[in-house]
Amino acid sequence: MDVFETIKRRVSLRRYADQEIAQEDLDRILECAMAAPTAGNQMLYSIIVIRDPETKEKLSKSCDNQPFIAKAPLLLLFAADQRKWFEYYRINGVAEFAEEKGYLFEAPQESDLILACEDTMIAAQNAVIAAESLGIGSCYIGDIIENYEYHKKLFELPDHVFPLALLCMGYYKEGHNRVHVKRFDKKYVVFEEKYHCLTPEEYAEMFQEQEKSYISKNPYGAGNYAQMFYARKTGAAFSKEMARSVRVALKEWDGKLQN
């Protein structure tokens, strides 16, 4: 399938054909994920393949109670991973070498996490596009960032391994109706040379399509679309839990060497 057509056809899939993903297809998806661009060829991520029904059921509850997660034939957890490189450094005496040569050696810190997150999401998106080309749909689950302590224990994640993205995967059902949500116009997203701060008038134009979904009798008592969206998403309890989890996780990424 043409790559442009593949990208444009893809939708978030939450209902799957009753069919296990063929090992050959999974191998190709993982191969494409691992061929993604990566900082210094470090491949700062790990991928956990999840097939166990019990684990999928647990994730369907811990990831903001989304039952379809448990019904997906396959889940892929993409974790930002700096542990492997820093363990490699430890095994090969890098800390001692750095002290001898006058380098500053530190444990993974916030910048290392961000770099690993870049690698991880590039690899995840490669997997998504590869899967789509094989007739396998996917859905990103950002809620894996919530309940950090629980997910860390569930997958036995050591420090400096952060669960960044969960992908639900399965074949499309025959005749699946693909509904494409309209994106923002290009002029509000792509700028030439420097960032452009939008005017109130431009914001009104930018959100014109989204504002059509505003419901005056909404459960939040919101007076417009912005207020309704904030109450439903940005300011919701799951978003606050996500923020709490990230703050907890960041405590590991402080650059301090453990004795």
Coordinates of all heavy atoms in Angstrom, one line a residue, residues 144-232:
I144 N -1.8 5.0 29.9 CA -0.8 4.1 30.5 C 0.1 5.0 31.4 O 0.8 4.4 32.3 CB 0.0 3.4 29.5 CG1 0.9 2.3 30.1 CG2 0.9 4.3 28.6 CD1 0.2 1.2 30.7
I145 N 0.2 6.3 31.2 CA 1.0 7.2 32.0 C 0.4 7.3 33.4 O 1.1 7.7 34.4 CB 1.1 8.5 31.3 CG1 1.8 8.4 30.0 CG2 1.9 9.5 32.2 CD1 1.9 9.7 29.2
E146 N -0.9 7.1 33.6 CA -1.5 7.1 34.9 C -1.1 5.9 35.7 O -0.6 4.9 35.2 CB -3.1 7.1 34.7 CG -3.6 8.3 34.0 CD -5.1 8.1 33.7 OE1 -5.9 7.7 34.6 OE2 -5.6 8.3 32.6
N147 N -1.4 6.0 37.0 CA -1.2 4.9 37.9 C 0.2 4.3 37.8 O 0.4 3.1 37.6 CB -2.2 3.8 37.7 CG -3.6 4.3 38.0 OD1 -3.9 4.8 39.0 ND2 -4.5 4.2 37.0
Y148 N 1.2 5.2 37.9 CA 2.6 4.8 37.6 C 3.1 3.7 38.5 O 3.7 2.7 38.0 CB 3.5 6.1 37.8 CG 4.9 5.8 37.6 CD1 5.5 5.4 36.4 CD2 5.8 5.8 38.8 CE1 6.8 5.1 36.3 CE2 7.1 5.5 38.7 CZ 7.6 5.2 37.4 OH 9.0 4.9 37.3
E149 N 2.8 3.8 39.8 CA 3.3 2.8 40.7 C 2.7 1.4 40.3 O 3.4 0.4 40.4 CB 2.9 3.1 42.1 CG 3.6 4.4 42.6 CD 2.6 5.6 42.4 OE1 1.8 5.6 41.5 OE2 2.8 6.6 43.1
Y150 N 1.4 1.4 40.0 CA 0.8 0.1 39.6 C 1.3 -0.5 38.4 O 1.7 -1.7 38.3 CB -0.7 0.4 39.5 CG -1.5 -0.9 39.0 CD1 -1.9 -1.9 39.9 CD2 -1.9 -1.0 37.7 CE1 -2.6 -3.0 39.5 CE2 -2.6 -2.2 37.3 CZ -2.9 -3.1 38.2 OH -3.6 -4.3 37.8
H151 N 1.5 0.3 37.3 CA 2.0 -0.2 36.1 C 3.5 -0.6 36.2 O 3.9 -1.6 35.6 CB 1.8 0.8 35.0 CG 0.4 1.0 34.6 ND1 -0.1 2.3 34.3 CD2 -0.6 0.2 34.5 CE1 -1.4 2.2 34.1 NE2 -1.7 0.9 34.1
K152 N 4.2 0.1 37.0 CA 5.6 -0.2 37.2 C 5.7 -1.6 37.9 O 6.6 -2.5 37.5 CB 6.3 0.8 38.1 CG 7.8 0.6 38.4 CD 8.4 1.7 39.1 CE 9.9 1.5 39.3 NZ 10.6 2.6 40.0
K153 N 4.9 -1.9 38.8 CA 4.9 -3.2 39.5 C 4.3 -4.3 38.5 O 4.9 -5.4 38.5 CB 4.0 -3.1 40.7 CG 4.0 -4.4 41.5 CD 3.2 -4.3 42.8 CE 3.2 -5.6 43.6 NZ 2.4 -5.4 44.9
L154 N 3.3 -4.0 37.8 CA 2.7 -4.9 36.9 C 3.6 -5.5 35.9 O 3.7 -6.7 35.6 CB 1.5 -4.3 36.2 CG 0.7 -5.2 35.2 CD1 0.0 -6.3 35.9 CD2 -0.4 -4.3 34.5
F155 N 4.5 -4.6 35.3 CA 5.4 -5.0 34.3 C 6.9 -5.2 34.8 O 7.8 -5.4 34.0 CB 5.4 -4.0 33.1 CG 4.1 -4.1 32.4 CD1 3.2 -3.0 32.6 CD2 3.8 -5.1 31.6 CE1 2.0 -3.0 31.9 CE2 2.5 -5.2 30.9 CZ 1.6 -4.1 31.1
E156 N 7.0 -5.1 36.2 CA 8.3 -5.2 36.8 C 9.3 -4.3 36.2 O 10.5 -4.7 35.8 CB 8.8 -6.7 36.7 CG 7.9 -7.6 37.4 CD 8.3 -9.1 37.3 OE1 9.4 -9.4 36.8 OE2 7.6 -10.0 37.9
L157 N 8.9 -3.0 36.0 CA 9.8 -2.0 35.4 C 10.8 -1.5 36.4 O 10.4 -1.0 37.5 CB 9.0 -0.8 34.9 CG 7.9 -1.2 33.8 CD1 7.1 0.1 33.5 CD2 8.5 -1.8 32.6
P158 N 12.1 -1.5 36.1 CA 13.1 -0.9 37.0 C 13.1 0.6 36.9 O 12.4 1.1 36.0 CB 14.4 -1.6 36.5 CG 14.2 -1.8 35.1 CD 12.7 -2.2 34.9
D159 N 13.9 1.2 37.7 CA 14.0 2.7 37.6 C 14.6 3.0 36.2 O 15.3 2.3 35.6 CB 14.9 3.2 38.7 CG 14.3 3.3 40.1 OD1 13.1 3.0 40.1 OD2 15.0 3.6 41.0
H160 N 14.2 4.2 35.8 CA 14.7 4.8 34.5 C 14.1 4.0 33.3 O 14.7 4.0 32.2 CB 16.2 4.8 34.4 CG 16.8 5.6 35.6 ND1 17.8 5.1 36.4 CD2 16.5 6.8 36.1 CE1 18.0 5.9 37.4 NE2 17.3 7.0 37.2
V161 N 13.0 3.3 33.5 CA 12.2 2.8 32.4 C 10.8 3.3 32.6 O 10.1 2.9 33.6 CB 12.2 1.2 32.4 CG1 11.3 0.7 31.3 CG2 13.6 0.7 32.3
F162 N 10.3 4.1 31.7 CA 9.0 4.8 31.9 C 8.0 4.3 30.8 O 8.2 4.4 29.6 CB 9.2 6.3 31.7 CG 7.9 7.1 31.9 CD1 7.4 7.2 33.2 CD2 7.3 7.7 30.8 CE1 6.2 8.0 33.4 CE2 6.2 8.4 31.0 CZ 5.6 8.6 32.3
P163 N 6.8 3.8 31.3 CA 5.8 3.3 30.3 C 5.1 4.5 29.6 O 4.3 5.2 30.2 CB 4.8 2.6 31.3 CG 4.9 3.2 32.6 CD 6.4 3.7 32.7
L164 N 5.4 4.7 28.4 CA 5.1 5.9 27.7 C 3.8 5.8 26.8 O 3.0 6.7 26.8 CB 6.2 6.4 26.8 CG 6.0 7.7 26.1 CD1 5.9 8.9 27.2 CD2 7.2 8.0 25.2
A165 N 3.7 4.7 26.1 CA 2.6 4.5 25.2 C 2.2 3.0 25.1 O 3.0 2.1 25.1 CB 3.0 5.0 23.8
L166 N 0.9 2.8 25.2 CA 0.3 1.5 25.0 C -0.5 1.5 23.7 O -1.3 2.4 23.4 CB -0.6 1.2 26.2 CG -1.3 -0.2 26.2 CD1 -0.2 -1.3 26.5 CD2 -2.3 -0.3 27.3
L167 N -0.2 0.5 22.9 CA -0.9 0.3 21.6 C -1.8 -0.9 21.6 O -1.4 -2.0 21.9 CB 0.1 0.2 20.4 CG 0.7 1.4 19.9 CD1 1.7 1.1 18.8 CD2 -0.3 2.4 19.4
C168 N -3.1 -0.7 21.4 CA -4.0 -1.8 21.1 C -4.0 -2.1 19.6 O -4.0 -1.2 18.8 CB -5.5 -1.4 21.5 SG -5.7 -1.1 23.2
M169 N -3.9 -3.4 19.3 CA -3.8 -3.8 17.9 C -4.7 -5.0 17.5 O -4.9 -5.9 18.3 CB -2.3 -4.1 17.5 CG -1.4 -2.9 17.5 SD 0.2 -3.3 16.7 CE 0.7 -1.7 16.2
G170 N -5.3 -4.9 16.4 CA -6.1 -6.0 15.9 C -6.5 -5.8 14.4 O -6.5 -4.6 13.9
Y171 N -6.9 -6.8 13.7 CA -7.3 -6.7 12.3 C -8.6 -5.9 12.3 O -9.5 -6.1 13.2 CB -7.4 -8.0 11.7 CG -6.1 -8.8 11.5 CD1 -5.8 -9.8 12.4 CD2 -5.2 -8.5 10.5 CE1 -4.6 -10.5 12.3 CE2 -4.0 -9.2 10.4 CZ -3.7 -10.2 11.3 OH -2.6 -10.9 11.2
Y172 N -8.8 -5.2 11.2 CA -10.1 -4.5 11.0 C -11.2 -5.6 10.7 O -10.9 -6.6 10.1 CB -10.0 -3.6 9.8 CG -9.3 -2.3 10.0 CD1 -7.9 -2.2 9.9 CD2 -10.0 -1.1 10.4 CE1 -7.3 -1.0 10.1 CE2 -9.4 0.1 10.6 CZ -8.0 0.2 10.4 OH -7.3 1.3 10.7
K173 N -12.4 -5.3 11.2 CA -13.5 -6.1 10.9 C -13.9 -5.9 9.4 O -13.7 -4.8 8.9 CB -14.7 -5.8 11.8 CG -14.6 -6.3 13.2 CD -15.9 -6.1 14.0 CE -15.8 -6.8 15.3 NZ -17.0 -6.6 16.1
E174 N -14.5 -6.9 8.8 CA -14.9 -6.7 7.4 C -15.9 -5.6 7.3 O -16.8 -5.5 8.0 CB -15.5 -8.0 6.9 CG -16.0 -7.9 5.5 CD -15.3 -8.9 4.6 OE1 -14.6 -9.8 5.0 OE2 -15.5 -8.7 3.4
G175 N -15.7 -4.7 6.3 CA -16.6 -3.5 6.1 C -16.5 -2.5 7.2 O -17.5 -1.7 7.3
H176 N -15.5 -2.4 7.9 CA -15.4 -1.4 9.0 C -15.5 0.0 8.4 O -14.9 0.4 7.4 CB -14.0 -1.5 9.7 CG -13.9 -0.5 10.8 ND1 -14.5 -0.6 12.1 CD2 -13.2 0.7 10.8 CE1 -14.1 0.5 12.8 NE2 -13.4 1.3 12.1
N177 N -16.4 0.8 9.0 CA -16.6 2.2 8.6 C -15.6 3.1 9.2 O -15.6 3.4 10.4 CB -18.0 2.6 9.0 CG -18.3 4.1 8.5 OD1 -17.8 4.5 7.5 ND2 -19.1 4.8 9.3
R178 N -14.7 3.6 8.4 CA -13.6 4.5 8.9 C -14.1 5.9 9.0 O -14.5 6.5 8.0 CB -12.4 4.4 8.0 CG -11.7 3.0 7.9 CD -10.7 3.0 6.7 NE -10.1 1.7 6.6 CZ -8.9 1.3 7.0 NH1 -8.2 2.2 7.6 NH2 -8.5 0.1 6.8
V179 N -14.1 6.4 10.2 CA -14.6 7.8 10.4 C -13.3 8.7 10.7 O -12.7 8.5 11.7 CB -15.5 7.9 11.6 CG1 -16.0 9.3 11.8 CG2 -16.8 7.0 11.3
H180 N -13.0 9.6 9.8 CA -11.9 10.4 10.0 C -12.3 11.8 10.6 O -13.2 12.5 10.0 CB -11.2 10.7 8.6 CG -10.5 9.5 8.1 ND1 -11.2 8.5 7.3 CD2 -9.2 9.1 8.2 CE1 -10.3 7.6 7.0 NE2 -9.1 7.9 7.5
V181 N -11.7 12.1 11.7 CA -12.0 13.4 12.4 C -11.2 14.5 11.7 O -10.0 14.4 11.5 CB -11.7 13.3 13.9 CG1 -12.0 14.6 14.6 CG2 -12.4 12.1 14.5
K182 N -11.9 15.6 11.4 CA -11.2 16.7 10.7 C -10.2 17.3 11.6 O -10.4 17.6 12.8 CB -12.3 17.7 10.3 CG -11.7 18.9 9.4 CD -12.8 19.8 8.9 CE -12.2 20.9 8.1 NZ -13.2 21.8 7.6
R183 N -9.0 17.6 11.1 CA -7.9 18.2 11.8 C -7.9 19.7 11.7 O -8.7 20.2 10.8 CB -6.6 17.7 11.3 CG -6.4 16.2 11.3 CD -6.6 15.5 12.6 NE -6.1 14.2 12.7 CZ -6.3 13.3 13.6 NH1 -7.1 13.6 14.6 NH2 -5.8 12.1 13.5
F184 N -7.1 20.4 12.5 CA -7.0 21.8 12.3 C -6.4 22.2 11.0 O -5.7 21.4 10.4 CB -6.1 22.4 13.4 CG -6.7 22.4 14.8 CD1 -5.9 21.8 15.8 CD2 -7.9 22.9 15.1 CE1 -6.5 21.7 17.1 CE2 -8.4 22.9 16.4 CZ -7.7 22.3 17.4
D185 N -6.8 23.3 10.5 CA -6.3 23.8 9.2 C -4.7 24.0 9.3 O -4.2 24.4 10.4 CB -6.9 25.1 8.8 CG -6.6 25.5 7.4 OD1 -5.5 26.1 7.1 OD2 -7.4 25.3 6.5
K186 N -4.1 23.7 8.2 CA -2.6 23.8 8.2 C -2.0 25.1 8.6 O -1.0 25.2 9.3 CB -2.1 23.5 6.8 CG -0.6 23.6 6.6 CD -0.3 23.3 5.1 CE 1.2 23.5 4.8 NZ 1.5 23.3 3.4
K187 N -2.8 26.2 8.3 CA -2.2 27.5 8.6 C -2.1 27.8 10.1 O -1.4 28.7 10.6 CB -3.1 28.6 8.0 CG -4.5 28.7 8.4 CD -5.3 29.7 7.6 CE -6.7 29.8 8.1 NZ -7.5 30.8 7.3
Y188 N -2.8 27.0 10.9 CA -2.7 27.2 12.4 C -1.7 26.3 13.0 O -1.5 26.4 14.2 CB -4.1 26.9 13.0 CG -5.2 27.7 12.4 CD1 -6.3 27.1 11.8 CD2 -5.2 29.1 12.5 CE1 -7.3 27.9 11.3 CE2 -6.2 29.9 11.9 CZ -7.3 29.2 11.3 OH -8.3 30.0 10.8
V189 N -1.1 25.5 12.2 CA -0.1 24.5 12.8 C 1.3 24.6 12.2 O 2.3 24.5 12.9 CB -0.6 23.0 12.5 CG1 0.3 22.0 13.0 CG2 -2.0 22.8 13.1
V190 N 1.4 25.0 10.9 CA 2.6 25.1 10.2 C 3.0 26.6 10.0 O 2.3 27.3 9.4 CB 2.6 24.4 8.9 CG1 3.9 24.5 8.2 CG2 2.2 22.9 9.0
F191 N 4.1 27.0 10.6 CA 4.6 28.3 10.5 C 5.9 28.4 9.8 O 6.7 27.5 9.8 CB 4.7 29.0 11.9 CG 3.5 28.8 12.8 CD1 3.6 28.4 14.1 CD2 2.3 29.1 12.3 CE1 2.5 28.3 14.9 CE2 1.1 29.0 13.1 CZ 1.3 28.6 14.4
E192 N 6.2 29.5 9.1 CA 7.5 29.7 8.4 C 8.5 30.4 9.3 O 8.2 31.5 9.8 CB 7.2 30.5 7.1 CG 6.4 29.8 6.1 CD 7.1 28.7 5.4 OE1 8.4 28.7 5.4 OE2 6.5 27.8 4.8
E193 N 9.6 29.8 9.5 CA 10.8 30.4 10.1 C 10.6 30.7 11.7 O 11.5 30.3 12.4 CB 11.2 31.7 9.5 CG 11.4 31.6 8.0 CD 12.6 30.7 7.6 OE1 13.4 30.4 8.5 OE2 12.7 30.3 6.4
K194 N 9.5 31.2 12.1 CA 9.3 31.6 13.5 C 7.9 31.2 13.9 O 7.0 31.1 13.1 CB 9.6 33.0 13.8 CG 11.1 33.5 13.5 CD 11.3 34.9 13.8 CE 12.7 35.3 13.5 NZ 13.0 36.8 13.8
Y195 N 7.8 31.0 15.3 CA 6.4 30.7 15.8 C 5.5 31.9 15.7 O 5.9 33.1 15.8 CB 6.6 30.4 17.3 CG 5.3 29.9 17.9 CD1 4.9 28.6 17.9 CD2 4.5 30.8 18.6 CE1 3.7 28.2 18.4 CE2 3.3 30.4 19.2 CZ 2.9 29.1 19.1 OH 1.7 28.6 19.6
H196 N 4.3 31.6 15.4 CA 3.2 32.7 15.2 C 2.2 32.5 16.3 O 1.6 31.5 16.5 CB 2.5 32.5 13.9 CG 1.3 33.4 13.7 ND1 1.4 34.8 13.8 CD2 0.0 33.1 13.6 CE1 0.2 35.3 13.7 NE2 -0.7 34.3 13.5
C197 N 2.1 33.6 17.2 CA 1.1 33.6 18.2 C -0.2 34.0 17.6 O -0.4 35.1 17.0 CB 1.5 34.6 19.3 SG 2.9 34.1 20.3
L198 N -1.2 33.1 17.7 CA -2.5 33.4 17.1 C -3.3 34.5 17.8 O -3.2 34.7 19.0 CB -3.4 32.1 17.1 CG -2.7 30.8 16.4 CD1 -3.7 29.7 16.6 CD2 -2.4 31.1 15.0
T199 N -4.1 35.2 17.0 CA -4.9 36.3 17.5 C -6.3 35.6 18.0 O -6.6 34.5 17.6 CB -5.2 37.3 16.4 OG1 -6.0 36.7 15.4 CG2 -3.9 37.9 15.8
P200 N -7.0 36.4 18.8 CA -8.4 35.8 19.2 C -9.2 35.5 18.0 O -10.0 34.5 18.0 CB -9.0 37.0 20.0 CG -7.8 37.7 20.6 CD -6.7 37.6 19.5
E201 N -9.1 36.3 16.9 CA -9.9 36.0 15.7 C -9.4 34.7 15.1 O -10.3 33.9 14.6 CB -9.7 37.2 14.7 CG -10.4 38.5 15.1 CD -9.6 39.2 16.2 OE1 -8.4 38.9 16.3 OE2 -10.2 40.0 16.9
E202 N -8.1 34.5 15.1 CA -7.6 33.2 14.5 C -8.0 32.0 15.3 O -8.3 30.9 14.8 CB -6.1 33.3 14.3 CG -5.6 34.2 13.2 CD -4.1 34.4 13.2 OE1 -3.5 34.6 14.3 OE2 -3.5 34.4 12.1
Y203 N -8.0 32.2 16.6 CA -8.5 31.1 17.5 C -9.9 30.7 17.2 O -10.3 29.6 17.2 CB -8.3 31.4 19.0 CG -6.9 31.2 19.5 CD1 -6.1 32.2 19.9 CD2 -6.4 29.9 19.5 CE1 -4.8 32.0 20.4 CE2 -5.1 29.6 20.0 CZ -4.3 30.7 20.4 OH -3.0 30.4 20.9
A204 N -10.7 31.8 17.0 CA -12.2 31.5 16.7 C -12.3 30.7 15.4 O -13.1 29.8 15.3 CB -12.9 32.9 16.6
E205 N -11.5 31.1 14.4 CA -11.5 30.4 13.1 C -11.0 28.9 13.3 O -11.5 28.0 12.7 CB -10.7 31.1 12.1 CG -11.3 32.5 11.7 CD -10.4 33.2 10.7 OE1 -9.3 32.7 10.4 OE2 -10.7 34.4 10.3
M206 N -9.9 28.8 14.0 CA -9.2 27.5 14.2 C -10.2 26.5 14.8 O -10.2 25.3 14.4 CB -8.0 27.7 15.1 CG -7.3 26.4 15.5 SD -5.8 26.8 16.5 CE -5.2 25.2 16.8
F207 N -11.0 26.9 15.8 CA -11.8 26.0 16.6 C -13.3 26.0 16.1 O -14.2 25.4 16.7 CB -11.8 26.3 18.0 CG -10.6 25.9 18.7 CD1 -9.5 26.7 18.9 CD2 -10.5 24.6 19.3 CE1 -8.3 26.3 19.5 CE2 -9.3 24.2 19.9 CZ -8.2 25.0 20.0
Q208 N -13.5 26.6 14.9 CA -14.9 26.7 14.4 C -15.5 25.4 14.2 O -16.7 25.2 14.6 CB -14.8 27.5 13.1 CG -16.2 27.8 12.5 CD -16.1 28.7 11.3 OE1 -15.1 28.8 10.6 NE2 -17.2 29.5 11.0
E209 N -14.8 24.4 13.7 CA -15.4 23.1 13.5 C -15.6 22.3 14.8 O -16.7 21.7 15.0 CB -14.4 22.2 12.6 CG -15.0 20.9 12.1 CD -16.1 21.0 11.2 OE1 -16.2 22.1 10.4 OE2 -17.0 20.1 11.1
Q210 N -14.6 22.4 15.7 CA -14.8 21.7 17.0 C -16.0 22.3 17.8 O -16.7 21.5 18.5 CB -13.5 21.9 17.8 CG -12.4 21.0 17.4 CD -11.7 21.4 16.1 OE1 -11.9 22.5 15.6 NE2 -10.9 20.6 15.5
E211 N -16.2 23.6 17.7 CA -17.2 24.2 18.5 C -18.6 23.8 18.1 O -19.6 24.0 18.8 CB -17.1 25.7 18.4 CG -15.9 26.2 19.2 CD -15.7 27.8 19.1 OE1 -16.4 28.4 18.4 OE2 -14.8 28.3 19.9
K212 N -18.7 23.1 16.9 CA -20.0 22.6 16.5 C -20.5 21.5 17.4 O -21.7 21.2 17.4 CB -20.0 22.1 15.0 CG -19.8 23.3 14.0 CD -19.7 22.7 12.6 CE -19.4 23.8 11.6 NZ -19.3 23.3 10.2
S213 N -19.6 20.9 18.1 CA -19.9 19.7 19.0 C -20.3 20.2 20.4 O -20.6 19.3 21.2 CB -18.8 18.7 19.0 OG -17.6 19.3 19.6
Y214 N -20.3 21.5 20.6 CA -20.7 22.0 21.9 C -22.2 21.7 22.2 O -23.0 21.9 21.3 CB -20.4 23.5 22.0 CG -21.1 24.1 23.2 CD1 -20.6 23.8 24.5 CD2 -22.1 25.0 23.1 CE1 -21.2 24.4 25.6 CE2 -22.7 25.6 24.2 CZ -22.2 25.3 25.5 OH -22.8 25.8 26.6
I215 N -22.4 21.2 23.4 CA -23.8 20.9 23.8 C -24.1 21.8 25.0 O -23.5 21.8 26.0 CB -23.9 19.4 24.2 CG1 -23.5 18.5 23.1 CG2 -25.3 19.1 24.7 CD1 -23.4 17.0 23.5
S216 N -25.2 22.6 24.8 CA -25.5 23.6 25.8 C -25.9 22.9 27.1 O -25.6 23.4 28.2 CB -26.6 24.6 25.3 OG -27.7 23.8 25.0
K217 N -26.6 21.8 27.0 CA -27.0 21.1 28.2 C -26.0 20.0 28.5 O -26.3 18.8 28.4 CB -28.4 20.5 28.0 CG -29.5 21.5 27.9 CD -30.9 20.9 27.7 CE -32.0 21.9 27.7 NZ -33.3 21.3 27.5
N218 N -24.8 20.4 28.8 CA -23.7 19.4 29.1 C -23.7 19.2 30.6 O -24.1 20.0 31.4 CB -22.4 19.9 28.6 CG -22.0 21.3 29.2 OD1 -21.5 21.3 30.3 ND2 -22.2 22.4 28.5
P219 N -23.1 18.0 31.0 CA -23.1 17.7 32.4 C -22.1 18.5 33.3 O -22.1 18.4 34.5 CB -22.6 16.2 32.4 CG -21.9 16.1 31.1 CD -22.5 17.0 30.2
Y220 N -21.3 19.4 32.7 CA -20.3 20.1 33.4 C -20.8 21.6 33.7 O -20.1 22.3 34.4 CB -19.0 20.2 32.6 CG -18.6 18.9 32.0 CD1 -18.8 18.6 30.7 CD2 -18.1 17.9 32.8 CE1 -18.4 17.4 30.1 CE2 -17.8 16.6 32.3 CZ -17.9 16.4 30.9 OH -17.5 15.2 30.4
G221 N -21.9 22.0 33.1 CA -22.4 23.3 33.3 C -21.5 24.3 32.5 O -21.4 25.5 32.9
A222 N -20.9 23.8 31.5 CA -19.9 24.7 30.7 C -20.7 25.6 29.7 O -21.7 25.1 29.1 CB -19.0 23.8 29.9
G223 N -20.2 26.8 29.6 CA -20.9 27.8 28.8 C -20.4 27.8 27.3 O -21.0 28.5 26.5
N224 N -19.4 27.1 27.0 CA -18.9 27.1 25.7 C -18.0 25.8 25.5 O -17.8 25.1 26.4 CB -18.1 28.3 25.3 CG -16.9 28.6 26.3 OD1 -16.2 27.7 26.6 ND2 -16.7 29.8 26.7
Y225 N -17.5 25.6 24.2 CA -16.8 24.4 23.9 C -15.5 24.3 24.7 O -15.2 23.2 25.2 CB -16.5 24.4 22.4 CG -15.6 23.2 22.0 CD1 -16.2 21.9 21.9 CD2 -14.3 23.4 21.8 CE1 -15.4 20.8 21.6 CE2 -13.5 22.3 21.4 CZ -14.0 21.0 21.3 OH -13.2 20.0 21.0
A226 N -14.8 25.4 24.8 CA -13.5 25.4 25.6 C -13.7 24.9 27.0 O -13.0 24.1 27.5 CB -12.9 26.8 25.5
Q227 N -14.7 25.5 27.7 CA -15.0 25.1 29.0 C -15.4 23.6 29.1 O -15.0 22.9 30.0 CB -16.1 26.0 29.6 CG -15.7 27.4 29.7 CD -16.9 28.3 30.1 OE1 -18.0 27.8 30.5 NE2 -16.7 29.6 30.1
M228 N -16.2 23.2 28.2 CA -16.7 21.8 28.1 C -15.5 20.8 27.9 O -15.4 19.8 28.6 CB -17.8 21.6 27.0 CG -18.4 20.2 27.1 SD -19.7 20.0 25.8 CE -18.7 19.9 24.3
F229 N -14.7 21.2 27.0 CA -13.5 20.3 26.7 C -12.6 20.2 27.9 O -12.1 19.1 28.2 CB -12.8 20.8 25.5 CG -11.7 19.8 25.0 CD1 -12.1 18.8 24.1 CD2 -10.4 19.8 25.4 CE1 -11.1 17.9 23.6 CE2 -9.5 18.9 25.0 CZ -9.8 17.9 24.1
Y230 N -12.3 21.4 28.5 CA -11.5 21.4 29.7 C -12.0 20.5 30.8 O -11.3 19.7 31.4 CB -11.3 22.8 30.3 CG -10.4 22.8 31.5 CD1 -9.0 22.9 31.3 CD2 -10.9 22.7 32.8 CE1 -8.2 22.9 32.4 CE2 -10.1 22.7 33.9 CZ -8.7 22.8 33.7 OH -7.9 22.8 34.8
A231 N -13.3 20.6 31.1 CA -13.9 19.8 32.1 C -13.9 18.3 31.8 O -13.7 17.4 32.7 CB -15.4 20.2 32.3
R232 N -14.0 18.0 30.5 CA -14.1 16.6 30.1 C -12.7 16.0 30.0 O -12.5 14.8 30.2 CB -14.8 16.5 28.7 CG -15.0 15.0 28.2 CD -15.9 15.0 27.0 NE -15.4 15.6 25.9 CZ -14.6 15.0 24.9 NH1 -14.3 13.8 25.1 NH2 -14.2 15.7 23.9

